[in-house]
Amino acid sequence: MKQTLKQVRTQGSATIAVPSGEIDLQRSPALYHELVRICKTRPEKLIIDLRDVSYMDSSGVSTLVEVFRCTRSYGGRLVLLSPTARVRSMFEIAKLDQFFTILDSEQEALEQ
Amino acid sequence: MSLPPPVEMRIASDPAKLSEVRAAVRTTAVGVGFGEGDVEQIALAVDEALANVIKHGYGGAIDQPIDIRIEPVADRGHTGLRLTIRDFGKTVDPAAIRGRDLDDVRPGGLGVHLIQSIMDEVRYETTEGGGTRLNMLKLNQR
């Protein structure tokens, strides 16, 4: 299974994961496993930086919903950072733009 | 404006093929004159339909056939795209295909909801010999 995260780093109590490319039925299982592995380390805040994700389908969104549930299960927080217009539009059609915390500034994501 | 010719593809039910289909859909949608936002949404709807075939029609098997037709049309004073996806898998009861309840944030059914939100017409047909044919139409409102 090919890696989907091009970078993972920690900053204070936050872990920032940076996936890239197109997240579809082929790649979302790998993304799911990589993000759940991070979630199991119980970061206080998990920030998923989506700026390099050029496309996402419902399997990618489902993955994010599962990761949201994972973080919530131990009292952590999930923040989605800087989705492209394409990906943001997908959240809007799915009516999940109000469900997720979506921010465009990493500083704000770290401080909030 | 002359419409581009229709595109017909047969792919294996392998998720690795999805990006190839999205590329073909985008190219034809651009040729019909859709704007960037619509192009992406149409590609997404086709992607979701194919994902449903792979997951539910073929139970995840990656070597089964799926026929796709991407047909530019002129209808009701608009240009548009008619998209047909035919599989030969487990017959799905069209009455059972519906979007999820959006008040319940669960992944299941999201793909169907997206298809119905994006397309102007969505019609499922069971076919002789098994399988399902999905007909979708998107008109260019620009």
PDB file of all heavy atoms in Angstrom, chain A residues 22 24-26 55-58 61-62 66 69 86 89-90 93-96 99, chain B residues 15-16 18-19 22 26 40-41 44 47-48 51 100 102 105 107 110 113-114 117:
ATOM      1  N   GLU A  22      -4.300  12.680  -5.166  1.00  0.00           N
ATOM      2  CA  GLU A  22      -5.726  12.403  -5.287  1.00  0.00           C
ATOM      3  C   GLU A  22      -6.115  11.315  -4.291  1.00  0.00           C
ATOM      4  O   GLU A  22      -5.510  10.238  -4.276  1.00  0.00           O
ATOM      5  CB  GLU A  22      -6.060  11.959  -6.717  1.00  0.00           C
ATOM      6  CG  GLU A  22      -5.746  13.036  -7.747  1.00  0.00           C
ATOM      7  CD  GLU A  22      -6.414  12.777  -9.093  1.00  0.00           C
ATOM      8  OE1 GLU A  22      -6.503  11.601  -9.502  1.00  0.00           O
ATOM      9  OE2 GLU A  22      -6.844  13.747  -9.724  1.00  0.00           O
ATOM     10  N   ASP A  24      -8.781   8.836  -3.517  1.00  0.00           N
ATOM     11  CA  ASP A  24      -9.970   8.159  -4.033  1.00  0.00           C
ATOM     12  C   ASP A  24     -10.026   6.748  -3.465  1.00  0.00           C
ATOM     13  O   ASP A  24      -9.300   6.426  -2.509  1.00  0.00           O
ATOM     14  CB  ASP A  24      -9.973   8.177  -5.571  1.00  0.00           C
ATOM     15  CG  ASP A  24      -8.775   7.437  -6.165  1.00  0.00           C
ATOM     16  OD1 ASP A  24      -7.999   6.820  -5.405  1.00  0.00           O
ATOM     17  OD2 ASP A  24      -8.613   7.465  -7.401  1.00  0.00           O
ATOM     18  N   LEU A  25     -10.861   5.919  -4.058  1.00  0.00           N
ATOM     19  CA  LEU A  25     -11.042   4.560  -3.534  1.00  0.00           C
ATOM     20  C   LEU A  25      -9.736   3.768  -3.530  1.00  0.00           C
ATOM     21  O   LEU A  25      -9.540   2.882  -2.705  1.00  0.00           O
ATOM     22  CB  LEU A  25     -12.092   3.827  -4.393  1.00  0.00           C
ATOM     23  CG  LEU A  25     -12.597   2.483  -3.884  1.00  0.00           C
ATOM     24  CD1 LEU A  25     -13.289   2.630  -2.532  1.00  0.00           C
ATOM     25  CD2 LEU A  25     -13.558   1.860  -4.891  1.00  0.00           C
ATOM     26  N   GLN A  26      -8.839   4.119  -4.437  1.00  0.00           N
ATOM     27  CA  GLN A  26      -7.560   3.408  -4.469  1.00  0.00           C
ATOM     28  C   GLN A  26      -6.661   3.804  -3.295  1.00  0.00           C
ATOM     29  O   GLN A  26      -6.002   2.957  -2.698  1.00  0.00           O
ATOM     30  CB  GLN A  26      -6.829   3.697  -5.796  1.00  0.00           C
ATOM     31  CG  GLN A  26      -5.558   2.878  -5.919  1.00  0.00           C
ATOM     32  CD  GLN A  26      -4.667   3.322  -7.066  1.00  0.00           C
ATOM     33  OE1 GLN A  26      -4.844   4.399  -7.638  1.00  0.00           O
ATOM     34  NE2 GLN A  26      -3.708   2.494  -7.415  1.00  0.00           N
ATOM     35  N   TYR A  55      -7.699  16.215  -5.108  1.00  0.00           N
ATOM     36  CA  TYR A  55      -9.009  15.612  -5.368  1.00  0.00           C
ATOM     37  C   TYR A  55      -9.351  14.697  -4.208  1.00  0.00           C
ATOM     38  O   TYR A  55      -8.470  14.035  -3.657  1.00  0.00           O
ATOM     39  CB  TYR A  55      -8.954  14.798  -6.669  1.00  0.00           C
ATOM     40  CG  TYR A  55     -10.214  14.022  -6.963  1.00  0.00           C
ATOM     41  CD1 TYR A  55     -11.288  14.625  -7.598  1.00  0.00           C
ATOM     42  CD2 TYR A  55     -10.332  12.683  -6.604  1.00  0.00           C
ATOM     43  CE1 TYR A  55     -12.458  13.913  -7.866  1.00  0.00           C
ATOM     44  CE2 TYR A  55     -11.500  11.968  -6.862  1.00  0.00           C
ATOM     45  CZ  TYR A  55     -12.551  12.592  -7.497  1.00  0.00           C
ATOM     46  OH  TYR A  55     -13.695  11.894  -7.754  1.00  0.00           O
ATOM     47  N   MET A  56     -10.632  14.676  -3.852  1.00  0.00           N
ATOM     48  CA  MET A  56     -11.059  13.748  -2.798  1.00  0.00           C
ATOM     49  C   MET A  56     -12.469  13.269  -3.103  1.00  0.00           C
ATOM     50  O   MET A  56     -13.337  14.066  -3.439  1.00  0.00           O
ATOM     51  CB  MET A  56     -11.021  14.441  -1.439  1.00  0.00           C
ATOM     52  CG  MET A  56     -11.396  13.519  -0.287  1.00  0.00           C
ATOM     53  SD  MET A  56     -11.307  14.333   1.317  1.00  0.00           S
ATOM     54  CE  MET A  56      -9.556  14.420   1.558  1.00  0.00           C
ATOM     55  N   ASP A  57     -12.699  11.974  -2.993  1.00  0.00           N
ATOM     56  CA  ASP A  57     -14.052  11.456  -3.185  1.00  0.00           C
ATOM     57  C   ASP A  57     -14.651  11.071  -1.836  1.00  0.00           C
ATOM     58  O   ASP A  57     -14.069  11.358  -0.777  1.00  0.00           O
ATOM     59  CB  ASP A  57     -14.054  10.287  -4.186  1.00  0.00           C
ATOM     60  CG  ASP A  57     -13.459   9.015  -3.587  1.00  0.00           C
ATOM     61  OD1 ASP A  57     -13.025   9.036  -2.418  1.00  0.00           O
ATOM     62  OD2 ASP A  57     -13.445   8.000  -4.290  1.00  0.00           O
ATOM     63  N   SER A  58     -15.806  10.412  -1.858  1.00  0.00           N
ATOM     64  CA  SER A  58     -16.493  10.128  -0.595  1.00  0.00           C
ATOM     65  C   SER A  58     -15.713   9.145   0.270  1.00  0.00           C
ATOM     66  O   SER A  58     -15.860   9.144   1.494  1.00  0.00           O
ATOM     67  CB  SER A  58     -17.903   9.601  -0.848  1.00  0.00           C
ATOM     68  OG  SER A  58     -17.861   8.327  -1.427  1.00  0.00           O
ATOM     69  N   VAL A  61     -13.546  11.342   2.286  1.00  0.00           N
ATOM     70  CA  VAL A  61     -14.342  12.034   3.305  1.00  0.00           C
ATOM     71  C   VAL A  61     -14.705  11.070   4.431  1.00  0.00           C
ATOM     72  O   VAL A  61     -14.635  11.429   5.615  1.00  0.00           O
ATOM     73  CB  VAL A  61     -15.620  12.636   2.670  1.00  0.00           C
ATOM     74  CG1 VAL A  61     -16.545  13.181   3.739  1.00  0.00           C
ATOM     75  CG2 VAL A  61     -15.247  13.734   1.691  1.00  0.00           C
ATOM     76  N   SER A  62     -15.057   9.836   4.051  1.00  0.00           N
ATOM     77  CA  SER A  62     -15.385   8.832   5.073  1.00  0.00           C
ATOM     78  C   SER A  62     -14.193   8.580   5.982  1.00  0.00           C
ATOM     79  O   SER A  62     -14.349   8.404   7.196  1.00  0.00           O
ATOM     80  CB  SER A  62     -15.786   7.514   4.407  1.00  0.00           C
ATOM     81  OG  SER A  62     -16.922   7.708   3.609  1.00  0.00           O
ATOM     82  N   GLU A  66     -14.041   9.052  10.028  1.00  0.00           N
ATOM     83  CA  GLU A  66     -13.553   8.019  10.958  1.00  0.00           C
ATOM     84  C   GLU A  66     -12.432   8.564  11.850  1.00  0.00           C
ATOM     85  O   GLU A  66     -12.364   8.250  13.038  1.00  0.00           O
ATOM     86  CB  GLU A  66     -13.054   6.798  10.183  1.00  0.00           C
ATOM     87  CG  GLU A  66     -14.155   6.007   9.504  1.00  0.00           C
ATOM     88  CD  GLU A  66     -15.240   5.562  10.472  1.00  0.00           C
ATOM     89  OE1 GLU A  66     -14.914   5.073  11.559  1.00  0.00           O
ATOM     90  OE2 GLU A  66     -16.430   5.738  10.138  1.00  0.00           O
ATOM     91  N   ARG A  69     -13.908  10.657  14.504  1.00  0.00           N
ATOM     92  CA  ARG A  69     -14.452   9.811  15.587  1.00  0.00           C
ATOM     93  C   ARG A  69     -13.336   9.307  16.489  1.00  0.00           C
ATOM     94  O   ARG A  69     -13.480   9.237  17.704  1.00  0.00           O
ATOM     95  CB  ARG A  69     -15.191   8.615  14.994  1.00  0.00           C
ATOM     96  CG  ARG A  69     -16.457   8.991  14.297  1.00  0.00           C
ATOM     97  CD  ARG A  69     -17.468   7.847  14.356  1.00  0.00           C
ATOM     98  NE  ARG A  69     -18.782   8.345  13.995  1.00  0.00           N
ATOM     99  CZ  ARG A  69     -19.303   8.257  12.769  1.00  0.00           C
ATOM    100  NH1 ARG A  69     -18.634   7.653  11.831  1.00  0.00           N
ATOM    101  NH2 ARG A  69     -20.483   8.755  12.494  1.00  0.00           N
ATOM    102  N   ARG A  86     -11.504  22.701  -4.782  1.00  0.00           N
ATOM    103  CA  ARG A  86     -12.120  21.432  -5.214  1.00  0.00           C
ATOM    104  C   ARG A  86     -12.571  20.600  -4.021  1.00  0.00           C
ATOM    105  O   ARG A  86     -13.673  20.085  -3.985  1.00  0.00           O
ATOM    106  CB  ARG A  86     -11.077  20.585  -5.946  1.00  0.00           C
ATOM    107  CG  ARG A  86     -11.018  20.757  -7.416  1.00  0.00           C
ATOM    108  CD  ARG A  86     -10.035  19.720  -7.950  1.00  0.00           C
ATOM    109  NE  ARG A  86      -9.637  20.019  -9.308  1.00  0.00           N
ATOM    110  CZ  ARG A  86      -8.807  19.266 -10.014  1.00  0.00           C
ATOM    111  NH1 ARG A  86      -8.293  18.183  -9.476  1.00  0.00           N
ATOM    112  NH2 ARG A  86      -8.495  19.577 -11.241  1.00  0.00           N
ATOM    113  N   SER A  89     -15.330  22.247  -2.002  1.00  0.00           N
ATOM    114  CA  SER A  89     -16.614  22.100  -2.690  1.00  0.00           C
ATOM    115  C   SER A  89     -17.226  20.727  -2.401  1.00  0.00           C
ATOM    116  O   SER A  89     -18.438  20.589  -2.225  1.00  0.00           O
ATOM    117  CB  SER A  89     -16.391  22.321  -4.189  1.00  0.00           C
ATOM    118  OG  SER A  89     -17.259  21.577  -4.957  1.00  0.00           O
ATOM    119  N   MET A  90     -16.368  19.732  -2.317  1.00  0.00           N
ATOM    120  CA  MET A  90     -16.822  18.376  -1.993  1.00  0.00           C
ATOM    121  C   MET A  90     -17.444  18.342  -0.585  1.00  0.00           C
ATOM    122  O   MET A  90     -18.503  17.758  -0.368  1.00  0.00           O
ATOM    123  CB  MET A  90     -15.606  17.449  -2.085  1.00  0.00           C
ATOM    124  CG  MET A  90     -15.716  16.156  -1.382  1.00  0.00           C
ATOM    125  SD  MET A  90     -16.796  15.116  -2.307  1.00  0.00           S
ATOM    126  CE  MET A  90     -16.701  13.653  -1.343  1.00  0.00           C
ATOM    127  N   ILE A  93     -20.901  20.010  -0.819  1.00  0.00           N
ATOM    128  CA  ILE A  93     -21.964  19.172  -1.411  1.00  0.00           C
ATOM    129  C   ILE A  93     -22.379  18.089  -0.414  1.00  0.00           C
ATOM    130  O   ILE A  93     -23.542  17.737  -0.303  1.00  0.00           O
ATOM    131  CB  ILE A  93     -21.494  18.485  -2.716  1.00  0.00           C
ATOM    132  CG1 ILE A  93     -20.982  19.498  -3.720  1.00  0.00           C
ATOM    133  CG2 ILE A  93     -22.634  17.695  -3.351  1.00  0.00           C
ATOM    134  CD1 ILE A  93     -20.270  18.843  -4.891  1.00  0.00           C
ATOM    135  N   ALA A  94     -21.386  17.558   0.300  1.00  0.00           N
ATOM    136  CA  ALA A  94     -21.680  16.505   1.279  1.00  0.00           C
ATOM    137  C   ALA A  94     -22.292  17.079   2.563  1.00  0.00           C
ATOM    138  O   ALA A  94     -22.660  16.339   3.463  1.00  0.00           O
ATOM    139  CB  ALA A  94     -20.398  15.740   1.615  1.00  0.00           C
ATOM    140  N   LYS A  95     -22.370  18.413   2.621  1.00  0.00           N
ATOM    141  CA  LYS A  95     -22.889  19.125   3.796  1.00  0.00           C
ATOM    142  C   LYS A  95     -22.085  18.793   5.048  1.00  0.00           C
ATOM    143  O   LYS A  95     -22.619  18.675   6.141  1.00  0.00           O
ATOM    144  CB  LYS A  95     -24.383  18.831   3.995  1.00  0.00           C
ATOM    145  CG  LYS A  95     -25.210  19.282   2.804  1.00  0.00           C
ATOM    146  CD  LYS A  95     -26.683  19.157   3.043  1.00  0.00           C
ATOM    147  CE  LYS A  95     -27.445  19.621   1.818  1.00  0.00           C
ATOM    148  NZ  LYS A  95     -28.880  19.422   1.908  1.00  0.00           N
ATOM    149  N   LEU A  96     -20.801  18.602   4.854  1.00  0.00           N
ATOM    150  CA  LEU A  96     -19.916  18.310   5.978  1.00  0.00           C
ATOM    151  C   LEU A  96     -19.018  19.499   6.313  1.00  0.00           C
ATOM    152  O   LEU A  96     -18.186  19.414   7.205  1.00  0.00           O
ATOM    153  CB  LEU A  96     -19.053  17.086   5.662  1.00  0.00           C
ATOM    154  CG  LEU A  96     -19.820  15.757   5.623  1.00  0.00           C
ATOM    155  CD1 LEU A  96     -18.928  14.632   5.131  1.00  0.00           C
ATOM    156  CD2 LEU A  96     -20.395  15.415   6.987  1.00  0.00           C
ATOM    157  N   PHE A  99     -19.626  20.313   9.727  1.00  0.00           N
ATOM    158  CA  PHE A  99     -19.333  19.204  10.647  1.00  0.00           C
ATOM    159  C   PHE A  99     -17.876  19.258  11.099  1.00  0.00           C
ATOM    160  O   PHE A  99     -17.555  19.114  12.277  1.00  0.00           O
ATOM    161  CB  PHE A  99     -19.638  17.896   9.918  1.00  0.00           C
ATOM    162  CG  PHE A  99     -19.256  16.646  10.649  1.00  0.00           C
ATOM    163  CD1 PHE A  99     -20.027  16.164  11.691  1.00  0.00           C
ATOM    164  CD2 PHE A  99     -18.125  15.933  10.273  1.00  0.00           C
ATOM    165  CE1 PHE A  99     -19.673  14.997  12.346  1.00  0.00           C
ATOM    166  CE2 PHE A  99     -17.775  14.764  10.928  1.00  0.00           C
ATOM    167  CZ  PHE A  99     -18.545  14.302  11.969  1.00  0.00           C
TER     168      PHE A  99
ATOM    169  N   PRO B  15      -9.867  -0.081  -8.541  1.00  0.00           N
ATOM    170  CA  PRO B  15      -9.786   1.330  -8.143  1.00  0.00           C
ATOM    171  C   PRO B  15      -8.632   2.072  -8.814  1.00  0.00           C
ATOM    172  O   PRO B  15      -8.696   3.295  -8.979  1.00  0.00           O
ATOM    173  CB  PRO B  15      -9.587   1.255  -6.626  1.00  0.00           C
ATOM    174  CG  PRO B  15     -10.228  -0.031  -6.231  1.00  0.00           C
ATOM    175  CD  PRO B  15      -9.974  -0.980  -7.369  1.00  0.00           C
ATOM    176  N   ALA B  16      -7.598   1.343  -9.235  1.00  0.00           N
ATOM    177  CA  ALA B  16      -6.464   1.999  -9.906  1.00  0.00           C
ATOM    178  C   ALA B  16      -6.873   2.603 -11.247  1.00  0.00           C
ATOM    179  O   ALA B  16      -6.159   3.440 -11.797  1.00  0.00           O
ATOM    180  CB  ALA B  16      -5.333   0.992 -10.114  1.00  0.00           C
ATOM    181  N   LEU B  18      -9.646   4.366 -11.725  1.00  0.00           N
ATOM    182  CA  LEU B  18     -10.558   5.496 -11.544  1.00  0.00           C
ATOM    183  C   LEU B  18      -9.970   6.816 -12.056  1.00  0.00           C
ATOM    184  O   LEU B  18     -10.682   7.625 -12.646  1.00  0.00           O
ATOM    185  CB  LEU B  18     -10.943   5.634 -10.062  1.00  0.00           C
ATOM    186  CG  LEU B  18     -11.790   4.485  -9.495  1.00  0.00           C
ATOM    187  CD1 LEU B  18     -12.046   4.686  -8.012  1.00  0.00           C
ATOM    188  CD2 LEU B  18     -13.111   4.394 -10.243  1.00  0.00           C
ATOM    189  N   SER B  19      -8.681   7.011 -11.846  1.00  0.00           N
ATOM    190  CA  SER B  19      -8.098   8.299 -12.264  1.00  0.00           C
ATOM    191  C   SER B  19      -8.121   8.435 -13.788  1.00  0.00           C
ATOM    192  O   SER B  19      -8.303   9.527 -14.321  1.00  0.00           O
ATOM    193  CB  SER B  19      -6.675   8.456 -11.713  1.00  0.00           C
ATOM    194  OG  SER B  19      -5.855   7.428 -12.194  1.00  0.00           O
ATOM    195  N   ARG B  22     -11.635   9.515 -14.649  1.00  0.00           N
ATOM    196  CA  ARG B  22     -11.835  10.927 -14.291  1.00  0.00           C
ATOM    197  C   ARG B  22     -11.198  11.828 -15.343  1.00  0.00           C
ATOM    198  O   ARG B  22     -11.766  12.849 -15.726  1.00  0.00           O
ATOM    199  CB  ARG B  22     -11.216  11.225 -12.910  1.00  0.00           C
ATOM    200  CG  ARG B  22     -11.987  10.625 -11.746  1.00  0.00           C
ATOM    201  CD  ARG B  22     -11.598  11.291 -10.425  1.00  0.00           C
ATOM    202  NE  ARG B  22     -10.213  11.103 -10.061  1.00  0.00           N
ATOM    203  CZ  ARG B  22      -9.736  10.080  -9.348  1.00  0.00           C
ATOM    204  NH1 ARG B  22     -10.556   9.144  -8.916  1.00  0.00           N
ATOM    205  NH2 ARG B  22      -8.453   9.997  -9.041  1.00  0.00           N
ATOM    206  N   ARG B  26     -13.188  14.569 -17.519  1.00  0.00           N
ATOM    207  CA  ARG B  26     -12.809  15.996 -17.466  1.00  0.00           C
ATOM    208  C   ARG B  26     -12.578  16.536 -18.879  1.00  0.00           C
ATOM    209  O   ARG B  26     -13.034  17.626 -19.220  1.00  0.00           O
ATOM    210  CB  ARG B  26     -11.536  16.170 -16.626  1.00  0.00           C
ATOM    211  CG  ARG B  26     -11.765  16.058 -15.133  1.00  0.00           C
ATOM    212  CD  ARG B  26     -10.442  16.208 -14.380  1.00  0.00           C
ATOM    213  NE  ARG B  26     -10.624  16.032 -12.942  1.00  0.00           N
ATOM    214  CZ  ARG B  26      -9.886  15.232 -12.187  1.00  0.00           C
ATOM    215  NH1 ARG B  26      -8.900  14.529 -12.701  1.00  0.00           N
ATOM    216  NH2 ARG B  26     -10.118  15.138 -10.895  1.00  0.00           N
ATOM    217  N   GLU B  40     -15.237  19.350 -12.342  1.00  0.00           N
ATOM    218  CA  GLU B  40     -14.797  18.567 -11.186  1.00  0.00           C
ATOM    219  C   GLU B  40     -15.947  17.789 -10.564  1.00  0.00           C
ATOM    220  O   GLU B  40     -15.791  16.655 -10.135  1.00  0.00           O
ATOM    221  CB  GLU B  40     -14.151  19.482 -10.147  1.00  0.00           C
ATOM    222  CG  GLU B  40     -12.733  19.850 -10.485  1.00  0.00           C
ATOM    223  CD  GLU B  40     -11.896  18.630 -10.877  1.00  0.00           C
ATOM    224  OE1 GLU B  40     -11.888  17.643 -10.125  1.00  0.00           O
ATOM    225  OE2 GLU B  40     -11.275  18.662 -11.950  1.00  0.00           O
ATOM    226  N   GLN B  41     -17.113  18.430 -10.514  1.00  0.00           N
ATOM    227  CA  GLN B  41     -18.258  17.743  -9.898  1.00  0.00           C
ATOM    228  C   GLN B  41     -18.717  16.560 -10.745  1.00  0.00           C
ATOM    229  O   GLN B  41     -19.097  15.514 -10.213  1.00  0.00           O
ATOM    230  CB  GLN B  41     -19.398  18.740  -9.683  1.00  0.00           C
ATOM    231  CG  GLN B  41     -19.040  19.761  -8.608  1.00  0.00           C
ATOM    232  CD  GLN B  41     -20.250  20.507  -8.088  1.00  0.00           C
ATOM    233  OE1 GLN B  41     -21.354  20.294  -8.553  1.00  0.00           O
ATOM    234  NE2 GLN B  41     -20.027  21.377  -7.138  1.00  0.00           N
ATOM    235  N   LEU B  44     -16.406  13.797 -10.182  1.00  0.00           N
ATOM    236  CA  LEU B  44     -16.677  13.213  -8.863  1.00  0.00           C
ATOM    237  C   LEU B  44     -17.884  12.270  -8.920  1.00  0.00           C
ATOM    238  O   LEU B  44     -17.847  11.162  -8.369  1.00  0.00           O
ATOM    239  CB  LEU B  44     -16.914  14.341  -7.839  1.00  0.00           C
ATOM    240  CG  LEU B  44     -17.333  13.918  -6.437  1.00  0.00           C
ATOM    241  CD1 LEU B  44     -16.248  13.091  -5.766  1.00  0.00           C
ATOM    242  CD2 LEU B  44     -17.657  15.158  -5.581  1.00  0.00           C
ATOM    243  N   ASP B  47     -16.930   9.098 -10.606  1.00  0.00           N
ATOM    244  CA  ASP B  47     -16.048   8.380  -9.690  1.00  0.00           C
ATOM    245  C   ASP B  47     -16.854   7.652  -8.605  1.00  0.00           C
ATOM    246  O   ASP B  47     -16.613   6.469  -8.298  1.00  0.00           O
ATOM    247  CB  ASP B  47     -15.129   9.425  -9.049  1.00  0.00           C
ATOM    248  CG  ASP B  47     -13.925   8.825  -8.378  1.00  0.00           C
ATOM    249  OD1 ASP B  47     -13.229   8.031  -9.014  1.00  0.00           O
ATOM    250  OD2 ASP B  47     -13.680   9.163  -7.215  1.00  0.00           O
ATOM    251  N   GLU B  48     -17.822   8.355  -8.041  1.00  0.00           N
ATOM    252  CA  GLU B  48     -18.653   7.762  -6.978  1.00  0.00           C
ATOM    253  C   GLU B  48     -19.482   6.602  -7.520  1.00  0.00           C
ATOM    254  O   GLU B  48     -19.639   5.572  -6.852  1.00  0.00           O
ATOM    255  CB  GLU B  48     -19.580   8.821  -6.373  1.00  0.00           C
ATOM    256  CG  GLU B  48     -18.872   9.970  -5.682  1.00  0.00           C
ATOM    257  CD  GLU B  48     -18.135   9.548  -4.420  1.00  0.00           C
ATOM    258  OE1 GLU B  48     -18.394   8.434  -3.933  1.00  0.00           O
ATOM    259  OE2 GLU B  48     -17.290  10.315  -3.945  1.00  0.00           O
ATOM    260  N   ALA B  51     -17.179   3.704  -7.982  1.00  0.00           N
ATOM    261  CA  ALA B  51     -16.796   3.153  -6.671  1.00  0.00           C
ATOM    262  C   ALA B  51     -17.920   2.272  -6.128  1.00  0.00           C
ATOM    263  O   ALA B  51     -17.670   1.208  -5.560  1.00  0.00           O
ATOM    264  CB  ALA B  51     -16.472   4.284  -5.699  1.00  0.00           C
ATOM    265  N   ARG B 100     -28.037   8.943   1.834  1.00  0.00           N
ATOM    266  CA  ARG B 100     -28.179   8.776   3.275  1.00  0.00           C
ATOM    267  C   ARG B 100     -28.956   9.952   3.868  1.00  0.00           C
ATOM    268  O   ARG B 100     -29.140  10.975   3.235  1.00  0.00           O
ATOM    269  CB  ARG B 100     -26.803   8.746   3.910  1.00  0.00           C
ATOM    270  CG  ARG B 100     -26.137  10.067   3.652  1.00  0.00           C
ATOM    271  CD  ARG B 100     -24.835  10.233   4.333  1.00  0.00           C
ATOM    272  NE  ARG B 100     -24.496  11.640   4.125  1.00  0.00           N
ATOM    273  CZ  ARG B 100     -23.610  12.288   4.786  1.00  0.00           C
ATOM    274  NH1 ARG B 100     -22.941  11.685   5.700  1.00  0.00           N
ATOM    275  NH2 ARG B 100     -23.376  13.534   4.543  1.00  0.00           N
ATOM    276  N   LEU B 102     -28.778  12.976   5.854  1.00  0.00           N
ATOM    277  CA  LEU B 102     -27.617  13.819   6.154  1.00  0.00           C
ATOM    278  C   LEU B 102     -27.543  14.250   7.616  1.00  0.00           C
ATOM    279  O   LEU B 102     -26.537  14.780   8.059  1.00  0.00           O
ATOM    280  CB  LEU B 102     -27.615  15.045   5.244  1.00  0.00           C
ATOM    281  CG  LEU B 102     -27.087  14.730   3.846  1.00  0.00           C
ATOM    282  CD1 LEU B 102     -27.346  15.891   2.915  1.00  0.00           C
ATOM    283  CD2 LEU B 102     -25.592  14.424   3.891  1.00  0.00           C
ATOM    284  N   VAL B 105     -24.349  11.593  10.352  1.00  0.00           N
ATOM    285  CA  VAL B 105     -23.081  11.725   9.641  1.00  0.00           C
ATOM    286  C   VAL B 105     -22.351  10.397   9.633  1.00  0.00           C
ATOM    287  O   VAL B 105     -21.507  10.112  10.457  1.00  0.00           O
ATOM    288  CB  VAL B 105     -22.211  12.831  10.274  1.00  0.00           C
ATOM    289  CG1 VAL B 105     -20.930  13.007   9.475  1.00  0.00           C
ATOM    290  CG2 VAL B 105     -22.971  14.130  10.310  1.00  0.00           C
ATOM    291  N   PRO B 107     -20.597   7.514   6.792  1.00  0.00           N
ATOM    292  CA  PRO B 107     -20.091   7.483   5.430  1.00  0.00           C
ATOM    293  C   PRO B 107     -21.032   6.810   4.429  1.00  0.00           C
ATOM    294  O   PRO B 107     -21.148   7.226   3.311  1.00  0.00           O
ATOM    295  CB  PRO B 107     -18.789   6.686   5.545  1.00  0.00           C
ATOM    296  CG  PRO B 107     -18.423   6.741   6.986  1.00  0.00           C
ATOM    297  CD  PRO B 107     -19.718   6.840   7.736  1.00  0.00           C
ATOM    298  N   LEU B 110     -23.081   8.193   1.103  1.00  0.00           N
ATOM    299  CA  LEU B 110     -22.617   9.531   0.740  1.00  0.00           C
ATOM    300  C   LEU B 110     -22.406   9.643  -0.769  1.00  0.00           C
ATOM    301  O   LEU B 110     -22.725  10.658  -1.377  1.00  0.00           O
ATOM    302  CB  LEU B 110     -21.323   9.846   1.498  1.00  0.00           C
ATOM    303  CG  LEU B 110     -20.652  11.182   1.220  1.00  0.00           C
ATOM    304  CD1 LEU B 110     -21.619  12.334   1.424  1.00  0.00           C
ATOM    305  CD2 LEU B 110     -19.430  11.364   2.112  1.00  0.00           C
ATOM    306  N   HIS B 113     -25.647  10.204  -2.513  1.00  0.00           N
ATOM    307  CA  HIS B 113     -26.083  11.576  -2.244  1.00  0.00           C
ATOM    308  C   HIS B 113     -25.331  12.567  -3.138  1.00  0.00           C
ATOM    309  O   HIS B 113     -25.930  13.488  -3.707  1.00  0.00           O
ATOM    310  CB  HIS B 113     -25.835  11.920  -0.772  1.00  0.00           C
ATOM    311  CG  HIS B 113     -25.984  13.383  -0.483  1.00  0.00           C
ATOM    312  ND1 HIS B 113     -27.207  14.019  -0.423  1.00  0.00           N
ATOM    313  CD2 HIS B 113     -25.049  14.357  -0.300  1.00  0.00           C
ATOM    314  CE1 HIS B 113     -27.021  15.309  -0.194  1.00  0.00           C
ATOM    315  NE2 HIS B 113     -25.725  15.542  -0.109  1.00  0.00           N
ATOM    316  N   LEU B 114     -24.041  12.369  -3.287  1.00  0.00           N
ATOM    317  CA  LEU B 114     -23.241  13.270  -4.122  1.00  0.00           C
ATOM    318  C   LEU B 114     -23.706  13.202  -5.579  1.00  0.00           C
ATOM    319  O   LEU B 114     -23.880  14.228  -6.233  1.00  0.00           O
ATOM    320  CB  LEU B 114     -21.758  12.903  -4.028  1.00  0.00           C
ATOM    321  CG  LEU B 114     -21.089  13.220  -2.691  1.00  0.00           C
ATOM    322  CD1 LEU B 114     -19.721  12.559  -2.615  1.00  0.00           C
ATOM    323  CD2 LEU B 114     -20.946  14.718  -2.500  1.00  0.00           C
ATOM    324  N   SER B 117     -26.931  14.999  -5.965  1.00  0.00           N
ATOM    325  CA  SER B 117     -26.794  16.453  -5.800  1.00  0.00           C
ATOM    326  C   SER B 117     -26.191  17.099  -7.037  1.00  0.00           C
ATOM    327  O   SER B 117     -26.520  18.231  -7.380  1.00  0.00           O
ATOM    328  CB  SER B 117     -25.895  16.773  -4.598  1.00  0.00           C
ATOM    329  OG  SER B 117     -26.430  16.219  -3.433  1.00  0.00           O
TER     330      SER B 117
END
